[in-house]
Amino acid sequence: MTATTQPDEQGEGMARVLGWASLALAVPQLVTPKKVLRLAGVHPGTASASLVRLVGVRELGAAAGLLSKPKQGAWLWARVAGDAMDLALLGRALRGAGTSPRRLTPATAAVVGITALDIVAGLQRNRAAKAEGATATTRARSAVTVNRPRAEVYKFWRQFENLPQFMHHLEAVDEHADGRSHWKAKAPFGRTVEWDAEIVEDIPEQHIAWRALPGSDVDNRGVVGFRDAPGGRGTEVLVELAFEPPGGPLGAVAAKLFGEHPDQQIADDLRRFKQIMETGEIVVSDASRDGTKTLNQVRQRDAQPGEAR
């Protein structure tokens, strides 16, 4: 009799191997970061040594995740995201002074190889999860208190064409006579996604539930609820959302790294919704006019005094 190895077992085994590899990398990065830098051909400065220790902490977290929960593909895709960061750092080091290309080039090639292994392991895990019926559903939930009557808050939200006024990632919503609607939104990395949706339940001044129709770019569903805030302070608005992120788990990890996570998006959208309902406009700080996305935060500048008139 010949024993056979199932694809899921192979993927789980590779995840464990990568977990031990992360642990093996983490120890020298945390204990002797300057020696690691010298081996890679990088000048061992204080700042670069601190950066290597941070990478070591990340590897230690990946090792703990992969060795304890090898079936969770998110740990593998987190490793892929970490590999991308490592390659960016190595590319920057190649352009810097005091580096040895003779040593740095093989180190970069090794990271490229490890990245390929991580991607293969992640894809294997995705296939196994799909076979098991699992999905990469991302869930988000956020709430805000709006100092306006519940009927007024519900009425504004129920006119879906109003939503792009405060939902930064939403480009347009077109409502149809049959109760369905077409949505177009920005996606990570400059993409756009579109979907048709239908209202599952609509109880005026209480909640609106919806779901995307088959064939949509993004399978999503959710509910927005309205209730009186304690002490007559207006209306509590609660949004709960579930969707399959474009790009699967890798897309979810990358979006989170670059400040595109739905928790952040919904919180920002609700903050703008509150401003519109209470003041009639969105207040934009000169220092944070582009929101909280990581890339935009990097580009933002300190608040500047207004020009003299």
Side-chain angles (χ1 to χ4, degrees), residues 66-306:
L66 288 170
L67 293 175
S68 62
K69 298 178 180 179
K71 287 190 173 183
Q72 288 194 2
W75 288 109
L76 293 167
W77 292 114
R79 266 187 61 96
V80 174
D83 295 337
M85 294 173 64
D86 292 345
L87 289 171
L89 291 172
L90 289 168
R92 183 177 178 180
L94 273 172
R95 298 190 299 272
T99 59
S100 170
R102 187 171 60 86
R103 291 187 176 183
L104 200 54
T105 301
T108 304
V111 174
V112 171
I114 291 171
T115 303
L117 283 176
D118 288 338
I119 291 174
V120 169
L123 292 174
Q124 281 187 340
R125 184 58 237 162
N126 281 4
R127 283 196 292 269
K130 190 174 182 179
E132 294 166 358
T135 63
T137 299
T138 295
R139 301 180 187 279
R141 188 174 187 269
S142 191
V144 70
T145 299
V146 179
N147 190 21
R148 301 301 299 171
R150 184 150 50 116
E152 183 179 336
V153 173
Y154 165 83
K155 182 179 179 182
F156 187 90
W157 194 293
R158 181 60 184 82
Q159 295 176 0
F160 295 150
E161 290 90 346
N162 288 332
L163 302 186
Q165 293 183 40
F166 61 90
M167 292 186 172
H168 177 69
H169 289 75
L170 200 56
E171 293 190 351
V173 181
D174 295 320
E175 287 195 78
H176 305 315
D178 61 358
R180 296 184 174 184
S181 50
H182 183 77
W183 302 62
K184 182 177 181 181
K186 301 172 188 172
F189 312 116
R191 297 174 55 203
T192 59
V193 291
E194 300 186 36
W195 67 92
D196 292 313
E198 65 178 1
I199 294 176
V200 177
E201 189 171 46
D202 180 9
I203 300 180
E205 302 179 23
Q206 291 191 27
H207 68 259
I208 306 168
W210 75 90
R211 66 184 173 198
L213 296 173
S216 298
D217 287 344
V218 181
D219 185 14
N220 68 89
R221 60 191 178 280
V223 60
V224 53
F226 310 89
R227 66 180 183 183
D228 292 335
R233 294 186 296 109
T235 305
E236 287 184 349
V237 180
L238 172 65
V239 176
E240 296 179 276
L241 177 67
F243 73 106
E244 312 297 328
L250 178 59
V253 171
K256 192 170 184 178
L257 284 172
F258 288 93
E260 301 273 2
H261 194 273
D263 280 326
Q264 297 169 353
Q265 293 180 25
I266 294 176
D268 289 347
D269 291 343
L270 289 180
R271 176 175 51 80
R272 288 186 286 267
F273 176 64
K274 175 181 174 69
Q275 292 175 354
I276 284 181
M277 294 304 299
E278 295 181 354
T279 69
E281 62 181 357
I282 297 174
V283 179
V284 180
S285 166
D286 186 52
S288 58
R289 52 190 174 175
D290 294 326
T292 60
K293 288 195 299 183
T294 302
L295 289 177
N296 289 342
Q297 290 288 322
V298 170
R299 290 197 294 263
Q300 287 171 14
R301 57 188 173 84
D302 294 336
Q304 302 293 318

